Amino acid sequence: MTRKQKRLTLIGSALGVLALAVGVILFALRDNVVFFYGPGELAEKHVGPGTRLRIGGLVKTGTLVHLEGKSVKFEVTDGKGDVSVTYTGLLPDLFKEGQGVVAEGALDTAGVFKADSILAKHDERYMPREVADALKKQGVWQEGGPAAPVATPAAATTAAGASK
């Protein structure tokens, strides 16, 4: 075998091992990849039941219902669509109607999102940029949060003086 053939064999073997390693890594991660959708995108994509994903948006006002035990039912909206969500467990302290939320779980056959993890978001800095931008375009989200009045330094001083 000539030097050139040895070198080509070595390079080919290295590329084969590298391709095999990448394949094994991708195969191992396939169950851990979770896609993120807004409720409007979820309706457009026609995601099948049982697919693990995350949805994000605002908890729709007037939809939060406490069921038996630690179960709750509510709707998540991004202005383009709504998704019904059920969750059993302790809710984060910041969770309330009109606030941002990210839920991780899967759709059932009836189209209800069964969440197994809920993350409450208090403003758009912690919400995925796509969701915050979509909510801002529709006028649902403002810089201080959903439809929240913006406090000015003068108003804060007046409020502090009134409380004394």
Side-chain angles (χ1 to χ4, degrees):
M1 206 179 234
T2 66
R3 273 181 124 154
K4 187 175 183 179
Q5 290 174 331
K6 287 181 184 179
R7 192 177 311 132
L8 288 176
T9 304
L10 180 64
I11 291 172
S13 299
L15 288 176
V17 168
L18 181 64
L20 182 65
V22 169
V24 168
I25 290 170
L26 290 176
F27 182 76
L29 292 177
R30 76 182 176 353
D31 290 334
N32 293 329
V33 175
V34 178
F35 293 101
F36 179 86
Y37 296 108
E41 291 175 315
L42 190 61
E44 292 172 6
K45 300 272 184 189
H46 302 292
V47 177
T51 304
R52 296 242 352 126
L53 53 106
R54 289 182 181 160
I55 60 169
L58 298 176
V59 178
K60 191 172 182 180
T61 305
T63 62
L64 180 59
V65 177
H66 291 273
L67 306 171
E68 70 280 346
K70 297 177 186 174
S71 297
V72 293
K73 184 175 183 179
F74 58 93
E75 289 187 19
V76 175
T77 185
D78 64 356
K80 292 187 234 173
D82 300 340
V83 174
S84 292
V85 178
T86 59
Y87 174 70
T88 301
L90 295 174
L91 291 170
D93 291 337
L94 296 173
F95 182 87
K96 64 181 181 179
E97 292 180 344
Q99 288 292 94
V101 67
V102 174
E104 185 173 336
L107 285 171
D108 66 6
T109 54
V112 176
F113 190 80
K114 303 285 185 183
D116 51 37
S117 174
I118 298 285
L119 302 171
K121 306 299 178 190
H122 60 86
D123 63 21
E124 76 281 353
R125 288 178 295 183
Y126 303 106
M127 183 176 288
R129 178 168 290 206
E130 300 82 24
V131 174
D133 290 344
L135 293 172
K136 285 177 186 177
K137 283 181 189 174
Q138 296 161 8
V140 177
W141 194 276
Q142 290 146 5
E143 289 301 319
V150 177
T152 62
T157 306
T158 305
S163 65
K164 289 183 181 178

Short mmCIF file of all heavy atoms in Angstrom, two decimals, residues 85-131:
data_model
loop_
_atom_site.label_atom_id
_atom_site.label_comp_id
_atom_site.label_asym_id
_atom_site.label_seq_id
_atom_site.Cartn_x
_atom_site.Cartn_y
_atom_site.Cartn_z
N VAL A 85 -55.99 23.82 27.91
CA VAL A 85 -54.90 23.14 28.61
C VAL A 85 -55.43 22.60 29.93
O VAL A 85 -56.18 23.28 30.63
CB VAL A 85 -53.73 24.12 28.89
CG1 VAL A 85 -52.62 23.42 29.67
CG2 VAL A 85 -53.20 24.71 27.61
N THR A 86 -55.06 21.37 30.26
CA THR A 86 -55.32 20.83 31.58
C THR A 86 -53.99 20.49 32.23
O THR A 86 -53.04 20.09 31.54
CB THR A 86 -56.21 19.56 31.53
OG1 THR A 86 -55.55 18.57 30.76
CG2 THR A 86 -57.57 19.86 30.96
N TYR A 87 -53.93 20.69 33.54
CA TYR A 87 -52.69 20.46 34.27
C TYR A 87 -53.03 20.00 35.67
O TYR A 87 -53.94 20.53 36.31
CB TYR A 87 -51.86 21.75 34.32
CG TYR A 87 -50.63 21.65 35.18
CD1 TYR A 87 -49.54 20.88 34.78
CD2 TYR A 87 -50.54 22.34 36.38
CE1 TYR A 87 -48.40 20.80 35.56
CE2 TYR A 87 -49.40 22.26 37.16
CZ TYR A 87 -48.34 21.49 36.75
OH TYR A 87 -47.21 21.41 37.53
N THR A 88 -52.30 19.02 36.16
CA THR A 88 -52.44 18.56 37.53
C THR A 88 -51.10 18.73 38.22
O THR A 88 -50.10 18.18 37.79
CB THR A 88 -52.88 17.08 37.59
OG1 THR A 88 -54.12 16.95 36.90
CG2 THR A 88 -53.04 16.62 39.02
N GLY A 89 -51.10 19.52 39.29
CA GLY A 89 -49.88 19.78 40.04
C GLY A 89 -49.91 21.17 40.61
O GLY A 89 -50.91 21.90 40.51
N LEU A 90 -48.81 21.55 41.23
CA LEU A 90 -48.70 22.88 41.81
C LEU A 90 -48.38 23.89 40.72
O LEU A 90 -47.47 23.68 39.92
CB LEU A 90 -47.62 22.91 42.89
CG LEU A 90 -47.89 22.05 44.12
CD1 LEU A 90 -46.67 22.05 45.03
CD2 LEU A 90 -49.11 22.54 44.86
N LEU A 91 -49.11 24.99 40.72
CA LEU A 91 -48.86 26.05 39.75
C LEU A 91 -47.80 27.01 40.28
O LEU A 91 -47.69 27.22 41.49
CB LEU A 91 -50.16 26.83 39.49
CG LEU A 91 -51.24 26.07 38.75
CD1 LEU A 91 -52.54 26.85 38.77
CD2 LEU A 91 -50.81 25.82 37.31
N PRO A 92 -47.02 27.61 39.40
CA PRO A 92 -46.04 28.61 39.84
C PRO A 92 -46.73 29.80 40.50
O PRO A 92 -47.89 30.10 40.20
CB PRO A 92 -45.35 29.04 38.54
CG PRO A 92 -45.67 27.98 37.55
CD PRO A 92 -46.96 27.37 37.96
N ASP A 93 -46.04 30.49 41.37
CA ASP A 93 -46.61 31.64 42.07
C ASP A 93 -47.05 32.75 41.12
O ASP A 93 -48.02 33.45 41.39
CB ASP A 93 -45.60 32.22 43.06
CG ASP A 93 -45.36 31.29 44.24
OD1 ASP A 93 -46.23 30.44 44.51
OD2 ASP A 93 -44.29 31.41 44.87
N LEU A 94 -46.35 32.93 40.02
CA LEU A 94 -46.67 34.00 39.08
C LEU A 94 -47.80 33.64 38.11
O LEU A 94 -48.19 34.46 37.29
CB LEU A 94 -45.42 34.37 38.27
CG LEU A 94 -44.28 34.97 39.08
CD1 LEU A 94 -43.05 35.14 38.20
CD2 LEU A 94 -44.69 36.29 39.69
N PHE A 95 -48.32 32.43 38.20
CA PHE A 95 -49.36 31.98 37.28
C PHE A 95 -50.67 32.68 37.60
O PHE A 95 -51.16 32.62 38.73
CB PHE A 95 -49.54 30.47 37.36
CG PHE A 95 -50.56 29.94 36.41
CD1 PHE A 95 -50.21 29.59 35.12
CD2 PHE A 95 -51.89 29.79 36.79
CE1 PHE A 95 -51.15 29.11 34.25
CE2 PHE A 95 -52.83 29.31 35.92
CZ PHE A 95 -52.46 28.97 34.64
N LYS A 96 -51.25 33.36 36.62
CA LYS A 96 -52.58 33.96 36.76
C LYS A 96 -53.09 34.33 35.37
O LYS A 96 -52.36 34.29 34.38
CB LYS A 96 -52.56 35.18 37.68
CG LYS A 96 -51.73 36.34 37.18
CD LYS A 96 -51.77 37.47 38.18
CE LYS A 96 -50.97 38.66 37.68
NZ LYS A 96 -51.01 39.78 38.60
N GLU A 97 -54.36 34.69 35.31
CA GLU A 97 -54.96 35.07 34.04
C GLU A 97 -54.31 36.34 33.51
O GLU A 97 -53.98 37.24 34.26
CB GLU A 97 -56.46 35.27 34.21
CG GLU A 97 -57.19 33.98 34.52
CD GLU A 97 -58.69 34.17 34.69
OE1 GLU A 97 -59.14 35.32 34.86
OE2 GLU A 97 -59.40 33.16 34.66
N GLY A 98 -54.13 36.39 32.20
CA GLY A 98 -53.54 37.55 31.56
C GLY A 98 -52.02 37.56 31.55
O GLY A 98 -51.43 38.42 30.95
N GLN A 99 -51.39 36.61 32.21
CA GLN A 99 -49.94 36.54 32.27
C GLN A 99 -49.41 35.53 31.24
O GLN A 99 -50.13 34.64 30.81
CB GLN A 99 -49.46 36.12 33.66
CG GLN A 99 -49.64 37.19 34.70
CD GLN A 99 -48.72 38.37 34.48
OE1 GLN A 99 -49.11 39.35 33.84
NE2 GLN A 99 -47.51 38.29 34.96
N GLY A 100 -48.15 35.67 30.91
CA GLY A 100 -47.51 34.75 29.98
C GLY A 100 -47.28 33.39 30.62
O GLY A 100 -47.06 33.28 31.82
N VAL A 101 -47.36 32.35 29.80
CA VAL A 101 -47.18 30.99 30.28
C VAL A 101 -46.57 30.14 29.17
O VAL A 101 -46.81 30.38 27.99
CB VAL A 101 -48.53 30.39 30.75
CG1 VAL A 101 -49.49 30.20 29.60
CG2 VAL A 101 -48.34 29.09 31.49
N VAL A 102 -45.75 29.19 29.59
CA VAL A 102 -45.24 28.16 28.68
C VAL A 102 -45.60 26.83 29.30
O VAL A 102 -45.30 26.58 30.46
CB VAL A 102 -43.71 28.27 28.48
CG1 VAL A 102 -43.19 27.10 27.65
CG2 VAL A 102 -43.34 29.58 27.82
N ALA A 103 -46.29 25.99 28.53
CA ALA A 103 -46.71 24.67 29.01
C ALA A 103 -46.06 23.60 28.15
O ALA A 103 -46.03 23.72 26.92
CB ALA A 103 -48.23 24.54 28.95
N GLU A 104 -45.54 22.57 28.80
CA GLU A 104 -44.93 21.45 28.08
C GLU A 104 -45.77 20.21 28.32
O GLU A 104 -46.17 19.92 29.44
CB GLU A 104 -43.51 21.21 28.56
CG GLU A 104 -42.80 20.13 27.77
CD GLU A 104 -41.34 19.99 28.13
OE1 GLU A 104 -40.75 20.96 28.64
OE2 GLU A 104 -40.79 18.90 27.89
N GLY A 105 -46.06 19.49 27.25
CA GLY A 105 -46.87 18.28 27.35
C GLY A 105 -47.21 17.75 25.97
O GLY A 105 -46.39 17.84 25.05
N ALA A 106 -48.44 17.23 25.83
CA ALA A 106 -48.86 16.64 24.55
C ALA A 106 -50.35 16.85 24.36
O ALA A 106 -51.11 16.98 25.33
CB ALA A 106 -48.53 15.15 24.52
N LEU A 107 -50.76 16.87 23.11
CA LEU A 107 -52.18 16.95 22.77
C LEU A 107 -52.82 15.59 22.93
O LEU A 107 -52.20 14.57 22.62
CB LEU A 107 -52.37 17.42 21.33
CG LEU A 107 -52.15 18.89 21.04
CD1 LEU A 107 -52.17 19.12 19.53
CD2 LEU A 107 -53.19 19.74 21.71
N ASP A 108 -54.08 15.57 23.39
CA ASP A 108 -54.81 14.30 23.41
C ASP A 108 -55.66 14.21 22.14
O ASP A 108 -55.63 15.10 21.29
CB ASP A 108 -55.64 14.14 24.69
CG ASP A 108 -56.78 15.13 24.81
OD1 ASP A 108 -57.03 15.90 23.85
OD2 ASP A 108 -57.43 15.14 25.86
N THR A 109 -56.42 13.15 22.00
CA THR A 109 -57.20 12.94 20.77
C THR A 109 -58.32 13.95 20.62
O THR A 109 -58.77 14.20 19.50
CB THR A 109 -57.79 11.51 20.75
OG1 THR A 109 -58.54 11.31 21.95
CG2 THR A 109 -56.69 10.47 20.64
N ALA A 110 -58.77 14.58 21.73
CA ALA A 110 -59.84 15.58 21.66
C ALA A 110 -59.30 16.97 21.36
O ALA A 110 -60.06 17.92 21.25
CB ALA A 110 -60.61 15.59 22.97
N GLY A 111 -57.97 17.13 21.26
CA GLY A 111 -57.38 18.42 20.97
C GLY A 111 -57.08 19.24 22.21
O GLY A 111 -56.72 20.41 22.10
N VAL A 112 -57.22 18.65 23.39
CA VAL A 112 -56.89 19.32 24.65
C VAL A 112 -55.42 19.05 24.96
O VAL A 112 -54.95 17.94 24.84
CB VAL A 112 -57.79 18.83 25.80
CG1 VAL A 112 -57.38 19.46 27.12
CG2 VAL A 112 -59.25 19.11 25.50
N PHE A 113 -54.71 20.09 25.35
CA PHE A 113 -53.29 19.97 25.66
C PHE A 113 -53.16 19.52 27.11
O PHE A 113 -53.57 20.21 28.02
CB PHE A 113 -52.59 21.31 25.45
CG PHE A 113 -51.11 21.24 25.52
CD1 PHE A 113 -50.36 20.79 24.45
CD2 PHE A 113 -50.44 21.61 26.67
CE1 PHE A 113 -48.98 20.73 24.52
CE2 PHE A 113 -49.06 21.55 26.75
CZ PHE A 113 -48.33 21.11 25.67
N LYS A 114 -52.57 18.34 27.32
CA LYS A 114 -52.33 17.80 28.66
C LYS A 114 -50.92 18.20 29.07
O LYS A 114 -49.94 17.62 28.60
CB LYS A 114 -52.46 16.27 28.67
CG LYS A 114 -53.79 15.75 28.20
CD LYS A 114 -54.84 15.96 29.25
CE LYS A 114 -56.13 15.30 28.78
NZ LYS A 114 -57.22 15.51 29.68
N ALA A 115 -50.81 19.20 29.92
CA ALA A 115 -49.50 19.71 30.33
C ALA A 115 -48.97 18.91 31.51
O ALA A 115 -49.71 18.53 32.40
CB ALA A 115 -49.61 21.18 30.71
N ASP A 116 -47.66 18.67 31.49
CA ASP A 116 -47.02 18.05 32.65
C ASP A 116 -46.01 19.00 33.29
O ASP A 116 -45.41 18.68 34.29
CB ASP A 116 -46.37 16.71 32.29
CG ASP A 116 -45.45 16.80 31.09
OD1 ASP A 116 -44.76 17.82 30.93
OD2 ASP A 116 -45.42 15.84 30.31
N SER A 117 -45.87 20.19 32.70
CA SER A 117 -44.99 21.21 33.24
C SER A 117 -45.52 22.59 32.84
O SER A 117 -45.87 22.80 31.69
CB SER A 117 -43.58 21.02 32.68
OG SER A 117 -42.73 22.06 33.09
N ILE A 118 -45.59 23.51 33.82
CA ILE A 118 -46.07 24.86 33.56
C ILE A 118 -45.01 25.85 34.04
O ILE A 118 -44.53 25.76 35.17
CB ILE A 118 -47.40 25.15 34.32
CG1 ILE A 118 -48.51 24.22 33.86
CG2 ILE A 118 -47.81 26.61 34.18
CD1 ILE A 118 -49.09 24.53 32.51
N LEU A 119 -44.67 26.79 33.19
CA LEU A 119 -43.75 27.87 33.54
C LEU A 119 -44.50 29.19 33.37
O LEU A 119 -45.01 29.48 32.29
CB LEU A 119 -42.52 27.87 32.63
CG LEU A 119 -41.70 26.59 32.61
CD1 LEU A 119 -40.66 26.66 31.50
CD2 LEU A 119 -41.04 26.38 33.95
N ALA A 120 -44.59 29.98 34.44
CA ALA A 120 -45.26 31.27 34.37
C ALA A 120 -44.22 32.33 34.04
O ALA A 120 -43.12 32.32 34.56
CB ALA A 120 -45.95 31.58 35.68
N LYS A 121 -44.61 33.26 33.20
CA LYS A 121 -43.71 34.32 32.80
C LYS A 121 -44.33 35.65 33.19
O LYS A 121 -45.49 35.91 32.93
CB LYS A 121 -43.50 34.30 31.28
CG LYS A 121 -43.04 32.95 30.76
CD LYS A 121 -41.74 32.59 31.37
CE LYS A 121 -41.28 31.23 30.92
NZ LYS A 121 -40.16 30.76 31.66
N HIS A 122 -43.51 36.53 33.82
CA HIS A 122 -44.08 37.78 34.26
C HIS A 122 -43.94 38.91 33.26
O HIS A 122 -44.60 39.91 33.38
CB HIS A 122 -43.52 38.20 35.62
CG HIS A 122 -42.05 38.40 35.64
ND1 HIS A 122 -41.45 39.57 35.30
CD2 HIS A 122 -41.05 37.55 35.98
CE1 HIS A 122 -40.15 39.46 35.43
NE2 HIS A 122 -39.88 38.24 35.84
N ASP A 123 -43.10 38.80 32.27
CA ASP A 123 -43.07 39.78 31.19
C ASP A 123 -42.38 39.20 29.97
O ASP A 123 -41.92 38.08 29.98
CB ASP A 123 -42.43 41.11 31.62
CG ASP A 123 -40.97 40.97 32.02
OD1 ASP A 123 -40.33 39.99 31.61
OD2 ASP A 123 -40.49 41.86 32.73
N GLU A 124 -42.33 39.99 28.90
CA GLU A 124 -41.85 39.47 27.63
C GLU A 124 -40.36 39.19 27.61
O GLU A 124 -39.87 38.53 26.71
CB GLU A 124 -42.22 40.43 26.49
CG GLU A 124 -41.37 41.68 26.41
CD GLU A 124 -41.76 42.76 27.42
OE1 GLU A 124 -42.76 42.62 28.12
OE2 GLU A 124 -41.01 43.74 27.52
N ARG A 125 -39.61 39.67 28.61
CA ARG A 125 -38.17 39.38 28.60
C ARG A 125 -37.90 37.89 28.72
O ARG A 125 -36.88 37.40 28.31
CB ARG A 125 -37.48 40.12 29.74
CG ARG A 125 -37.41 41.61 29.49
CD ARG A 125 -36.77 42.27 30.64
NE ARG A 125 -37.65 42.10 31.79
CZ ARG A 125 -37.43 42.60 32.98
NH1 ARG A 125 -36.34 43.27 33.21
NH2 ARG A 125 -38.29 42.42 33.97
N TYR A 126 -38.83 37.15 29.32
CA TYR A 126 -38.64 35.72 29.52
C TYR A 126 -39.52 34.89 28.60
O TYR A 126 -39.50 33.70 28.66
CB TYR A 126 -38.92 35.36 30.99
CG TYR A 126 -38.05 36.13 31.92
CD1 TYR A 126 -38.56 37.17 32.67
CD2 TYR A 126 -36.70 35.85 32.02
CE1 TYR A 126 -37.75 37.89 33.52
CE2 TYR A 126 -35.87 36.57 32.85
CZ TYR A 126 -36.41 37.58 33.60
OH TYR A 126 -35.61 38.29 34.44
N MET A 127 -40.30 35.53 27.77
CA MET A 127 -41.16 34.83 26.83
C MET A 127 -40.41 34.71 25.51
O MET A 127 -39.67 35.62 25.15
CB MET A 127 -42.46 35.61 26.63
CG MET A 127 -43.44 34.90 25.72
SD MET A 127 -44.99 35.77 25.60
CE MET A 127 -45.66 35.46 27.20
N PRO A 128 -40.58 33.60 24.79
CA PRO A 128 -39.93 33.50 23.49
C PRO A 128 -40.27 34.71 22.62
O PRO A 128 -41.41 35.18 22.59
CB PRO A 128 -40.51 32.22 22.90
CG PRO A 128 -40.86 31.41 24.10
CD PRO A 128 -41.32 32.40 25.13
N ARG A 129 -39.28 35.23 21.95
CA ARG A 129 -39.42 36.46 21.18
C ARG A 129 -40.57 36.40 20.17
O ARG A 129 -41.29 37.36 19.99
CB ARG A 129 -38.11 36.76 20.46
CG ARG A 129 -38.19 37.99 19.59
CD ARG A 129 -36.84 38.38 19.15
NE ARG A 129 -36.18 38.87 20.36
CZ ARG A 129 -35.19 39.74 20.35
NH1 ARG A 129 -34.74 40.20 19.23
NH2 ARG A 129 -34.65 40.15 21.46
N GLU A 130 -40.76 35.24 19.52
CA GLU A 130 -41.80 35.12 18.51
C GLU A 130 -43.19 35.35 19.12
O GLU A 130 -44.04 36.01 18.54
CB GLU A 130 -41.77 33.74 17.83
CG GLU A 130 -40.48 33.42 17.12
CD GLU A 130 -39.39 32.90 18.05
OE1 GLU A 130 -39.70 32.36 19.12
OE2 GLU A 130 -38.21 33.07 17.71
N VAL A 131 -43.41 34.78 20.30
CA VAL A 131 -44.72 34.91 20.95
C VAL A 131 -44.93 36.36 21.40
O VAL A 131 -45.98 36.94 21.17
CB VAL A 131 -44.83 33.95 22.16
CG1 VAL A 131 -46.11 34.19 22.93
CG2 VAL A 131 -44.77 32.52 21.69
#
